[in-house]
Structures are given as C-alpha cells and as structure tokens.
Amino acid sequence: MKHFKQFLKNKFPFVIKLKYIFRAIFLGTALKYVEVHIVDHCNLKCNGCTHFSNISEPKFSDARILHFHLGRLNEIFGKIDKVRLLGGEPLLHPDIINILNISRDALPYSEIELITNGLLLDKMPEEFFRTLHKNKISVEVSNYMPIQNKIKQIQEMLSLFKIKHSITPMVMAFTANLNPKGTNDRENTFKNCRHKICTILKDDCIYICPICAYIDKYNKYFNKNIPLPKGINIHSNSAKQILEYLKKSVETCKYCTNDSNYINWTCSNNPKETDWNGKTN
C-alpha cells in the first residue's frame, strides 16, 4: 500500500492533492495556518518580542523530529493552507537546507513561507536559494532598521533565484499585552485576542498563540510563574479535537490584556519585564 501511494504521488499528484482537499472540506478538518519555530533565539534582540526570542537560550529544531510532527499534521488535517517557518531567526540553523527539504516533503500541498530578518541572507550559500526555489518556499523579510541598506540587495538575490518574496512595511513598534497580575477575564481576553490566529506547533503540541507556547521563557528569565498551558498533543488527538481546543481560552489568557502598549522598536541586551506589559487598571 505504501508503494502504491508513492506511485500515485509521483505519477498522479493531482489525485492525491484532491483527496486531501476533499477530505479536509467534507470532514471539516482544514487548518488554515500554523507557525513553527526552526530556531528559538535570534540575532536582533528586539525588545518585547512576542515569541520571547530575545531572552531565549539557543535551541534548534531537529530535522528528523520536525519531519515526523509536520507529517502528522498533514496526515490528520488533510489540508493546511499556510505554514510559516520562523523563530527566532531561522537562518541561524546550521541544517536549514535540510529543514527546508523535509518541510516540503512532509507538507506537499501547503503554502510554506520562511520568515527572516534578512541580516544573514547575503551570507547563505547558493544551495540554500536553490532549495527554496526547488521546494516552492517563499520568503518574507521583516523590515527592521538594521537591514535598510540591504533591502535592494536582498530583493535582487531572491529575484535572481526566482524565489517568491515580500518585504514587510518597516517595523516601527511592537505591541505589548502581558498582565503579570493575571487579573483579566480570560474569556473576554480570548474573544478579542489578536494573537489567537497565530497557531503554534511547538514540539508535539499545538498552542493557541506564541505567548501560550513560549511564556516559559519569560518565566525562567524573570523568575515568574505565569501558567504555561499544556497545549494539545498532535499524536494522541484528532484534527477535530485540536480545532476545538483552539476555540477555547486557557488559564494563560488571564495574564494578557487586549489593551496594548505600543513600544518603539529597539534592540537591547538588557530586557526588562515591563517590555511586555500591556495597559492594566
């Protein structure tokens, strides 16, 4: 059976693709969007990073394990519209080319996008760009101040290898939403949350948002105890169970506020707890 499926995939890829799409539509199991950290830490150290990458210890995804988890997502959901590979800064990964290959292998019918701050793009080998092109993986460059003098070069490089790409508007500010006292109404916060569309795959679990997935980094760095939700395991739960989980608040939601503080974008090696604080009464 395995060999027959591979034969169909090679000879009649549209048949397999239609099977996944129809299954997702009729079973109601389509997942529109998911983010995956390739690297937890970053080379920019942006104050108030929602993914806590500026206070993260170095951590790299293992390509073999990542392939296993992404393959499971593809198997149970049938269709994932968009998968974003990010961090941290993904270009710090020493095995990034293999990561790109296994991501496409595990997710043959999803749109895959690599998110980078662009600082290392001009140092990447030609094989990296050819792998992006071969696997039809697009690139989004986050437009921070340090790459202003590189944008034209970045666009030329990506265009040279015919890689679909975009440059975000210049990032001038971050939003801060934490309420360390945990006094917010969790249901109301969840209902009005702007981050809950940023579904996260972390290891073998799905989380509602980056703060839910990575608040443990904040806790460790500042010696706090904001609840870290367990997430929902992708290997022991069905697609419908996961989708239902994503519709409900978790205890961590009490520690967020919809009333954001806007902080000017800066980089610093001296992060403070208040960098993440939203407005509270």
Side-chain angles (χ1 to χ4, degrees), residues 62 64-77 106 201-206 230-242:
D62 180 280
R64 180 182 57 84
I65 296 173
L66 181 61
H67 185 271
F68 178 56
H69 295 328
L70 291 179
R72 169 62 177 173
L73 283 185
N74 192 66
E75 174 191 349
I76 61 175
F77 283 105
L201 172 66
K202 176 187 174 187
D203 300 324
D204 57 0
C205 288
I206 289 281
K230 292 181 179 179
I232 183 166
N233 191 284
I234 62 173
H235 297 284
S236 56
N237 290 277
S238 68
K240 285 191 174 182
Q241 287 171 318
I242 293 170

Side-chain angles (χ1 to χ4, degrees), residues 74-96:
N74 192 66
E75 174 191 349
I76 61 175
F77 283 105
K79 184 175 185 291
I80 304 175
D81 289 349
K82 189 169 189 175
V83 177
R84 298 179 101 200
L85 308 176
L86 41 76
E89 173 48 50
L91 299 193
L92 292 171
H93 202 298
D95 199 21
I96 183 65

Side-chain angles (χ1 to χ4, degrees), residues 181-213:
K181 295 180 181 179
T183 54
N184 277 64
D185 179 88
R186 62 184 271 181
E187 299 302 333
N188 185 63
T189 300
F190 178 79
K191 178 182 177 181
N192 297 290
C193 180
R194 290 176 293 177
H195 295 292
K196 66 184 178 184
I197 61 170
C198 301
T199 305
I200 297 283
L201 172 66
K202 176 187 174 187
D203 300 324
D204 57 0
C205 288
I206 289 281
Y207 294 84
I208 295 169
C209 72
I211 291 176
C212 287

Side-chain angles (χ1 to χ4, degrees), residues 42-43 89-93 116-125 128-129 147 150 154 157:
C42 190
N43 54 352
E89 173 48 50
L91 299 193
L92 292 171
H93 202 298
T116 174
N117 60 38
L119 287 175
L120 298 175
L121 271 174
D122 59 349
K123 296 177 174 62
M124 302 304 290
F128 166 78
F129 297 99
I147 67 160
K150 288 188 171 188
I154 286 170
M157 277 192 299

